[in-house]
Amino acid sequence: MNALTLHYHPLSSCCHKVLIAIDALGIEVDKQLLNLGDPDERAAHLARWPMGKMPLLMDGPRAVPETSIIIEYLQRHHARPGRALIPDAPDAALDVRLWDRLFDLYVMTPMQALTADLLRPEGERDARTVAQARERLSSAYAFIDHQLEGRT
């Protein structure tokens, strides 16, 4: 059994972010599908990480939570030689971390709000929240397009 275990769910964009990094870094990880709807699985997960969020990487007894931290941890401790997602150069690493936060906070957060609203019954939907999420997402996309202009 591999010392690395990723507790995840395939419908989580945060989990996919870690799965992509695992592949890019060339790391072997045991993947454990997490069903937080099952009381026993939920209790076991909360024992590993009291915040109860996913994904969660276990490196032996060490719990490594939070998507971006998991990715940096994996690169630092388990990546195959020559594989990296975060550059060694400090300023370049800051740029990567900025893009990481930009997509998590300004793209995925409004996307999650839009998705959550679609999953609500028709009478419980929140037009104001949807409008705010669309506005934030539109602003984020405009910023991203501007920053990527002229790049390949």
Side-chain angles (χ1 to χ4, degrees):
M1 181 183 247
N2 196 327
L4 293 173
T5 303
L6 180 70
H7 298 273
Y8 81 106
H9 194 279
L11 296 180
S12 164
S13 61
C14 293
C15 292
H16 277 279
K17 187 173 164 181
V18 171
L19 290 168
I20 291 166
I22 285 168
D23 184 57
L25 296 170
I27 301 169
E28 293 291 324
V29 175
D30 289 328
K31 297 170 191 124
Q32 295 293 316
L33 183 65
L34 187 57
N35 177 5
L36 295 177
D38 178 279
D40 292 335
E41 279 192 51
R42 184 172 185 78
H45 188 62
L46 288 170
R48 288 186 292 269
W49 179 234
M51 299 297 111
K53 297 291 187 173
M54 63 178 142
L56 178 69
L57 179 74
M58 296 299 297
D59 188 353
R62 181 178 183 167
V64 183
E66 298 299 330
T67 305
S68 300
I69 294 168
I70 293 169
I71 292 168
E72 193 159 344
Y73 179 87
L74 287 170
Q75 178 176 311
R76 191 171 290 175
H77 297 287
H78 296 284
R80 286 194 183 163
R83 298 205 185 178
L85 296 169
I86 303 166
D88 289 330
D91 286 346
L94 288 174
D95 287 342
V96 167
R97 287 184 185 96
L98 172 62
W99 283 100
D100 172 73
R101 302 315 306 138
L102 180 105
F103 278 95
D104 280 354
L105 297 172
Y106 303 106
V107 174
M108 290 315 300
T109 297
M111 288 296 293
Q112 288 170 345
L114 294 169
T115 302
D117 195 72
L118 286 173
L119 295 174
R120 289 186 186 119
E122 190 76 33
E124 295 178 23
R125 293 194 177 158
D126 183 354
R128 183 175 183 183
T129 298
V130 167
Q132 289 172 339
R134 287 183 189 279
E135 185 178 316
R136 288 185 192 119
L137 193 56
S138 179
S139 294
Y141 285 158
F143 175 79
I144 292 164
D145 285 345
H146 178 73
Q147 293 299 310
L148 295 178
E149 194 173 295
R151 291 179 162 182
T152 57

